[in-house]
């Protein structure tokens, strides 16, 4: 009887020690959880000067971030060798159209850069409204024409050059100083949803 009592006592003690050991193991275990990658920037990221990752998706947000990455890698402070400014690489003459004369203030104000981009898209959509209506869905030099492609090309080359390209059925060509062309932009920025943009001859910032 004594042996049986000792046996059960030792067994019970073993179970208690084992459970404490297990708890300690769990307590000392580090768990790593994969951080979720968002395809859309947060409000804070939208006005940050530091991020340069293009956000995916076919929304208007995807469109503007794709254009920004192509232009400056998303850098609000970028000034290129030709003097084009900011995340979307605005020329000084274009900024004057929106009554923006202080280029340093423009570079230091992400919100203003975002508003200027939308305003320019609105103007270009107004200038090209007839060409957008006539050209969407057509293929020019094997590239399907979309509204987003037209707006991106207008950002690169100006609405006038895009109009000439579309009306010549791709015979008129334009390239900027770095070799980017209307045709490149029509293809690269095809298929985004730019219905958010309202055609406006004189948008106010």
């Amino acid at each position: 009887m004594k042996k049986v009592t000792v046996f059960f006592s030792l067994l019970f003690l073993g179970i208690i020690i084992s459970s404490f050991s297990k708890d300690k193991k769990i307590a000392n275990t580090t768990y790593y959880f994969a951080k979720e990658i968002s395809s859309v920037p947060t409000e804070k990221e939208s006005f940050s000067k530091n991020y340069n990752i293009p956000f995916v998706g076919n929304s208007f947000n995807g469109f503007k971030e794709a254009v920004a990455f192509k232009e400056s890698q998303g850098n609000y402070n970028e000034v290129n060798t030709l003097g084009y400014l900011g995340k979307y690489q605005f020329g000084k003459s274009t900024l004057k159209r929106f009554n923006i004369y202080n280029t340093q203030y423009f570079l230091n104000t992400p919100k203003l850069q975002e508003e200027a981009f939308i305003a320019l898209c609105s103007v270009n959509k107004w200038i090209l409204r007839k060409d957008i209506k006539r050209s969407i869905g057509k293929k020019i030099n094997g590239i399907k024409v979309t509204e987003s492609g037209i707006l991106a090309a207008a950002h690169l080359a100006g609405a006038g050059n895009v109009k000439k390209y579309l009306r010549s059925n791709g015979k008129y060509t334009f390239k900027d100083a770095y070799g980017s062309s209307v045709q490149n932009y029509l293809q690269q920025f095809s298929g985004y949803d730019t219905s958010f943009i309202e055609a406006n001859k004189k948008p106010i910032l």
Side-chain angles (χ1 to χ4, degrees):
M1 184 70 182
K2 227 179 208 183
K3 284 183 182 177
V4 173
T5 305
V6 170
F7 173 75
F8 280 111
S9 297
L10 289 173
L11 184 63
F12 181 68
L13 189 61
I15 291 169
I16 289 171
I17 291 168
S18 172
S19 72
F20 273 116
S21 173
K22 196 174 180 183
D23 287 344
K24 192 177 177 183
K25 241 183 218 178
I26 291 169
N28 292 331
T29 303
T30 304
Y31 292 93
Y32 296 94
F33 296 95
K35 191 177 180 182
E36 185 181 350
I37 299 171
S38 175
S39 62
V40 182
T42 63
E43 186 179 351
K44 185 179 177 183
E45 287 170 331
S46 292
F47 298 112
S48 165
K49 297 179 185 177
N50 300 319
Y51 78 96
N52 62 0
I53 301 168
F55 293 89
V56 297
N58 292 326
S59 64
F60 176 72
N61 190 70
F63 169 72
K64 74 182 183 70
E65 295 304 329
V67 171
F69 191 76
K70 173 70 175 174
E71 295 293 320
S72 70
Q73 290 199 321
N75 183 0
Y76 285 109
N77 299 115
E78 180 72 17
V79 180
N80 77 3
T81 55
L82 299 174
Y84 285 83
L85 304 153
K87 182 178 175 180
Y88 301 100
Q89 294 293 278
F90 278 88
K92 291 179 183 178
S93 59
T94 303
L95 291 178
K96 285 176 185 176
R97 180 173 195 153
F98 302 120
N99 297 315
I100 299 170
Y101 299 97
N102 187 333
T103 54
Q104 195 56 52
Y105 177 76
F106 179 74
L107 285 172
N108 293 333
T109 313
K111 187 177 180 182
L112 183 59
Q113 293 190 36
E114 298 296 340
E115 289 173 353
F117 178 73
I118 292 171
L120 183 58
C121 286
S122 294
V123 171
N124 287 334
K125 193 167 182 175
W126 186 85
I127 296 169
L128 292 162
R129 62 197 184 283
K130 292 178 183 175
D131 297 276
I132 288 170
K133 195 173 181 180
R134 280 194 294 255
S135 303
I136 284 178
K138 287 184 179 179
K139 279 197 172 183
I140 297 178
N141 295 332
I143 296 165
K144 187 178 178 181
V145 178
T146 65
E147 183 179 281
S148 61
I150 289 173
L151 292 180
H155 185 81
L156 169 79
N161 284 315
V162 175
K163 191 177 283 192
K164 288 176 187 176
Y165 177 89
L166 294 172
R167 293 185 182 185
S168 70
N169 201 37
K171 290 175 185 173
Y172 173 84
T173 58
F174 172 91
K175 284 187 178 181
D176 73 359
Y178 300 104
S180 295
S181 69
V182 166
Q183 189 164 297
N184 293 152
Y185 271 50
L186 280 172
Q187 184 173 35
Q188 186 171 348
F189 299 102
S190 173
Y192 288 93
D193 180 8
T194 51
S195 59
F196 167 82
I197 296 296
E198 293 181 13
N200 189 341
K201 186 179 181 181
K202 292 182 178 179
I204 299 169
L205 297 184

